[in-house]
Structures are given as C-alpha cells and as structure tokens.
Amino acid sequence: MALASVLQSESVDFSNYGRQRRGFASGLTETELGLESVGGDSLSFALRTSCSNGDGPDRKIEFLHGTTTLAFKFQHGVIVAVDSRATAGSYIASQTVKKVIEINPYLLGTMAGGAADCSFWERLLARQCRVYELRNKERISVAAASKLLANMVYQYKGMGLSMGTMVCGWDKTGPGLYYVDSEGNRVCGDLFAVGSGSMYAYGIVDSGLKQKDLTVEEACDLGRRAIYQATYRDAYSGGQVNLYHVHSEGWTRVSQSDVLMLHQQYQAEKA
Amino acid sequence: MSYDRAITVFSPDGHLFQVDYAQEAVKKGSTAVGVRGKNVVVLGVEKKIVAKLQEDRTVRKICSLDDNVFMAFAGLTADARIIVNRARVECQSHRLTVEDPATVEYITRYISSIKQRYTQSNGRRPFGISSLIVGFDFDGTPHLYQTDPSGTYHAWKANAIGRSAKTVREFLEKNYKEDMESDTDTIKLAIRALLEVVQSGGKNIELAIMKRDESMKMLAQEEIEEYVTAIETEKQKKT
C-alpha cells in the first residue's frame, strides 16, 4: 500500500493486527456505514514499527513540519491561509507547494506534516464524503467529515503517519473548522495555526481578531498578513500565500500572493 | 455441516419462496398500525391475549430505537428482537461517527439492508417480520416507513401490517385526511383503525405516540379508554 512503500521497510505485517485495531476503533463493521476497507481485500497492510533497530518511528522522510498554515472562523465563513515552502533540512525543496487540498466544492483540508500522508488521506476522505452524499442525498457535515478522517488515521496510530490538518467547510449548522492530526486529536475551534511558523501567525491573528465583526476583505487581509509575518521570521516558511474563503456557497480561491511582493507592499504602507 | 447451500433460491417463475413464506409468517402476527400526522406520529398494536399467570408488561411490541425513532413489528418476535438490537446499536454508531441523530430513513435503510442480506446468504433464512418505523428527523419532518422480509422499504402516510392488515389499510384509505393538524385526530384515526379488527375494544390496544421534539410516550390504559369512549360517542352521534 502507499504507506508501506513510503516507509520502505521490510517488516510489513500481513496478519490480522490491523483488523483487530479497526474493529475496536470504530465499533461497527465498515460496510454498515458505507466505508469499505481501506487496505484492499480483507487484509490490512499494517506496518509493525521495528523495535529492533532502536530508531523507532524516526525515519528519514521529507516532512512539511516546516510550514505555516492557518484557518479561522469569522462572521462570513472561514478564512484558510497557507504558505508554500517545502524544506529538506536547510535546503528549500520547493517554493510552490499546494498546501490546501480541495476535498470537494465545500470542504477544504490543509497540509502539514507528511505531504503524502495528507494528500492521500484527504483524497480518501473526498471519496467517503461523496459516497455519503450519494447514499443520504445530502451533503456531509464538517463534523462528520473530520470524524471520518480522524477515525481513518486513528487505526494507524503509532505506525509513523504524520499529518496535521484542518478540515474547513460550511454545512447547515454554519461555518465549521476542525483540527485533525495523526495522533488521533480532533478538536473543534474558531482559530488554528499549524506548523513551525504557527506562533508568529497566532500573534497576528489574535490581535487582528479583536473586533468581532470583520468584513470579508478585512479577514482576507488578516490571514494574508499573518502568513506573511510567519514567513518573515520563520526560515522554514515562505514562497506564496495561498488564501481561500469558505462561505455558504462553498469555497473560493481568493488570492495567491508572493511573499516578497507583500513585503514591499507592507513596507510602502509603513512609510 | 458446511453452510455452502443457499436456502433462499429463485423458483422457475422468479419468486423467492422463502421470502414469500416469511411474508405468510408476518400475516399471522398481531396487527400493527401506523399513522403519520403533521405534528405527531402514532403506532398502535393489537395486544396479544396473555395467559392468566403471565406478566403482560414483558410483552412489548413497540420498541424505541433512539430518542427520535421507534418501531412496531408483526411476525416472529424473536427475529424482531435481533433487528431491534442491531438497529439500536446502529443509531448510536451513527451518532458517534456523524455527530447527528440518524434520520428515520437512514435507520430504515439499515434495517432493510440487514433483511436483504439474509435473503442472499448461505445457510440463513429471511427474517420473518415486517416493521413500521416512525419518528422525526432532526429537521422536524415526520416519517413513517414500512419494511418487509424481502428487504424493501417504502414511506407511507398510514399503513397496517399483520393479521387483517388489508381490512385496516382499506379503512385507513377511506378515513385518512391530508395534513391532519390536530394530534387528537391522528391518534383517534389509529385507534379507530385498530378497533376494526381487535375484539373487545380498548383493553387489547397498545398505543405509542411521539410529538415533534418530544420523546416517545406509551399511552396508559385509561387514556386509551378515554379515546375509545370519545370514538363511541361520535359513532352514536353519526347514526
């Protein structure tokens, strides 16, 4: 499976290890909720972490921990802002990474941690969301979508997945924002920032969100500013700021601004 | 003995005999009637005559599946117990994974797919029950669904299953009024329908109602008697 090939380990276990875990985690057979077994035919490709080498889950893979992603709820929906830099050590591997995954026209997911993990599981989530929509003749709620994702990755807990994502969308209860990670956390909230530059981003957004009712323009500016400031101080964040706005009709890609352009713009404003 | 032979197989003219026979078993069960009103849903069952020494409180044919859904059945009680248990677990599983109560349609679909699975498995026979599932979705719409041993389900405005179901259904067709605003009218319709086939009146009727945003309520014997007397007086006035 995708996970096994990424980690390239010889100790792939084709036993029932994963299957028992799965039953405990969800408490119901997947066919009843319409979720087919992820690992193909009834075997689950569980990866046993090798305790013999002593390095445990520390494997040399490119992780996007060096990143800044943020999302916050406001009166008119959810703003999602991310940077676009990928680093391997001190080498900048790419300045044009797409860290927002478009799950479906009204749900977005952000990427932090392992790029393959994030995009793979979120694409799987997109499939489940679509099946839900067809079966139940209505869109899936953000709470349910984030729960499906959290339950999926929980079965692989401790096996080396690295994913810190924010599931953002708009459903019949209004704007929805959930933080889901590979440890099994799933938290509902109004504001999240994930990655090495998250602290700088929090500073900007926390001070900018003081006035409760922001217009869409102001909220977009705030998100853009927050990512910019994070890229200014954090070496592992940079590239462009990709900004999305989730509203009642779905999500819209607001802008893609190069950080250096933003720098010049803000400097000019200061003068 | 290996379970490699299917019991439910097609006949030359396209019937599944086991399913047809299961439906015969349903026709022998005591009558159940369901009515969907605008703001209330009602399920009534014919109470089986219990032996003198038997505690009649243990014979419950109306079961709640969750706060917003309940059901009645006709046919093999033991089979019904299994279905009710699975449905109750599924309602909670749905709440856990989707963080919302299951809609009436969802749980009906789930029950029907269990029943269908048993018509297409080795070594198993179909479930010998039909059920009437009623409730409110969390957006407030009332629903009444009927399932049968083949695994099909349909939505109804009012329906009956079990013994003399045909007579009761004809009565309902004649007397059902669209958009019955008053809860009392809906309840009275269900009781009148049951009285058509139940001997000796109100003593042998068990009734459960659910109003929007309220939990299921089993009517006490005295309340049922009140409705029955009101119905009798109305009948007298008409004749």
Side-chain angles (χ1 to χ4, degrees):
Chain A
M1 262 243 98
L3 177 61
S5 64
V6 161
L7 292 176
Q8 279 169 19
S9 164
E10 309 87 46
S11 58
V12 179
D13 179 30
F14 291 81
S15 71
N16 280 332
Y17 175 71
R19 172 140 10 117
Q20 286 158 356
R21 225 4 192 326
R22 173 178 304 149
F24 179 81
S26 51
L28 51 91
T29 62
E30 258 137 280
T31 44
E32 277 149 12
L33 249 198
L35 308 174
E36 269 88 57
S37 84
V38 162
D41 320 316
S42 42
L43 280 181
S44 80
F45 289 64
L47 197 60
R48 208 185 270 142
T49 48
S50 49
C51 357
S52 46
N53 335 9
D55 60 347
D58 305 331
R59 296 179 198 268
K60 298 213 169 51
I61 317 162
E62 242 171 68
F63 282 148
L64 286 175
H65 285 132
T67 187
T68 315
T69 59
L70 91 89
F72 61 90
K73 278 194 223 177
F74 71 116
Q75 193 192 6
H76 300 287
V78 190
I79 294 290
V80 183
V82 299
D83 77 316
S84 65
R85 178 176 289 185
T87 48
S90 58
Y91 171 69
I92 296 179
S94 166
Q95 292 269 59
T96 52
V97 179
K98 279 202 70 189
K99 295 187 190 176
V100 173
I101 294 151
E102 297 155 9
I103 297 170
N104 64 38
Y106 53 94
L107 275 181
L108 288 176
T110 61
M111 188 197 291
D117 288 340
C118 290
S119 60
F120 176 80
W121 290 106
E122 288 183 19
R123 287 188 66 194
L124 222 52
L125 178 63
R127 180 180 79 128
Q128 298 297 12
C129 290
R130 181 59 181 148
V131 172
Y132 181 99
E133 211 178 295
L134 287 169
R135 286 212 169 105
N136 295 285
K137 298 186 195 115
E138 64 168 16
R139 283 190 193 167
I140 192 170
S141 64
V142 188
S146 59
K147 198 124 201 198
L148 286 179
L149 181 63
N151 288 341
M152 277 194 270
V153 295
Y154 183 72
Q155 290 159 23
Y156 291 87
K157 185 174 161 77
M159 294 183 210
L161 283 188
S162 169
M163 183 191 83
T165 181
M166 294 179 283
V167 180
C168 329
W170 186 293
D171 58 34
K172 58 172 168 297
T173 58
L177 175 57
Y178 285 82
Y179 167 72
V180 177
D181 73 15
S182 45
E183 295 305 300
N185 286 318
R186 175 181 164 268
V187 188
C188 178
D190 291 336
L191 159 67
F192 289 111
V194 180
S196 55
S198 58
M199 291 302 128
Y200 312 109
Y202 272 128
I204 301 298
V205 181
D206 283 336
S207 48
L209 273 185
K210 265 192 294 192
Q211 332 104 289
K212 266 311 202 139
D213 34 5
L214 293 167
T215 65
V216 179
E217 262 308 306
E218 287 170 343
C220 290
D221 276 340
L222 186 62
R224 212 175 286 128
R225 189 84 197 224
I227 298 290
Y228 160 73
Q229 291 294 138
T231 61
Y232 189 68
R233 282 290 175 183
D234 179 29
Y236 298 104
S237 304
Q240 296 118 29
V241 180
N242 283 316
L243 195 73
Y244 287 73
H245 172 216
V246 187
H247 46 82
S248 53
E249 313 294 310
W251 55 259
T252 343
R253 184 133 184 252
V254 174
S255 68
Q256 177 185 58
S257 344
D258 191 299
V259 163
L260 299 170
M261 295 295 170
L262 284 178
H263 176 75
Q264 289 180 348
Q265 182 194 322
Y266 292 137
Q267 289 294 83
E269 280 169 18
K270 266 197 231 171
Chain B
M1 183 207 151
S2 59
Y3 294 103
D4 61 354
R5 213 166 63 85
I7 293 178
T8 316
V9 288
F10 280 111
S11 70
D13 62 342
H15 283 144
L16 286 171
F17 276 142
Q18 284 300 306
V19 173
D20 292 341
Y21 299 159
Q23 273 156 350
E24 290 299 313
V26 169
K27 287 194 201 145
K28 290 208 169 49
S30 48
T31 323
V33 73
V35 183
R36 181 191 84 191
K38 205 147 183 246
N39 303 307
V40 73
V41 286
V42 183
L43 273 185
V45 293
E46 172 194 355
K47 255 207 293 219
K48 275 208 312 239
I49 322 259
V50 294
K52 260 212 283 193
L53 291 174
Q54 192 177 59
E55 297 260 21
D56 76 337
R57 259 172 294 125
T58 56
V59 186
R60 269 279 124 92
K61 279 193 53 168
I62 303 180
C63 323
S64 78
L65 300 180
D66 201 351
D67 294 333
N68 61 327
V69 190
F70 59 111
M71 69 176 259
F73 58 89
L76 277 51
T77 321
D79 285 5
R81 211 175 50 230
I82 303 296
I83 295 272
V84 167
N85 277 335
R86 297 244 190 107
R88 284 175 172 161
V89 172
E90 180 61 22
C91 282
Q92 297 310 308
S93 293
H94 187 277
R95 275 180 189 259
L96 176 61
T97 37
V98 182
E99 288 191 354
D100 260 335
T103 56
V104 188
E105 199 263 338
Y106 177 86
I107 198 65
T108 309
R109 204 176 346 131
Y110 175 76
I111 291 175
S112 307
S113 59
I114 299 182
K115 288 188 177 175
Q116 191 279 338
R117 217 177 305 146
Y118 277 66
T119 67
Q120 219 179 4
S121 297
N122 287 330
R124 300 183 192 181
R125 60 160 176 81
F127 283 95
I129 65 161
S130 280
S131 52
L132 289 173
I133 302 160
V134 293
F136 287 89
D137 289 347
F138 50 84
D139 65 356
T141 21
H143 292 282
L144 162 64
Y145 284 95
Q146 184 224 359
T147 65
D148 63 15
S150 63
T152 53
Y153 68 94
H154 300 279
W156 291 75
K157 299 177 191 171
N159 198 5
I161 50 177
R163 209 176 358 235
S164 331
K166 208 149 164 277
T167 332
V168 181
R169 207 175 298 130
E170 280 165 7
F171 177 87
L172 287 170
E173 278 175 19
K174 269 200 227 111
N175 293 281
Y176 182 84
K177 287 190 208 55
E178 288 289 339
D179 290 333
M180 278 184 286
E181 284 278 355
S182 141
D183 297 345
T184 342
D185 283 344
T186 321
I187 300 172
K188 278 214 205 119
L189 178 63
I191 298 183
R192 276 161 61 209
L194 266 181
L195 283 174
E196 292 280 306
V197 293
V198 158
Q199 319 103 307
S200 46
K203 290 206 284 23
N204 286 331
I205 294 181
E206 203 170 275
L207 209 79
I209 66 166
M210 182 190 276
K211 300 197 186 152
R212 184 175 293 116
D213 294 331
E214 282 179 29
S215 49
M216 174 185 94
K217 201 175 103 138
M218 301 278 318
L219 291 189
Q221 203 49 54
E222 304 83 50
E223 290 177 272
I224 300 180
E225 289 296 336
E226 274 178 35
Y227 280 110
V228 171
T229 16
I231 290 168
E232 305 274 283
T233 3
E234 275 172 24
K235 243 201 245 172
Q236 303 284 14
K237 276 205 212 138
K238 275 206 202 124
T239 51

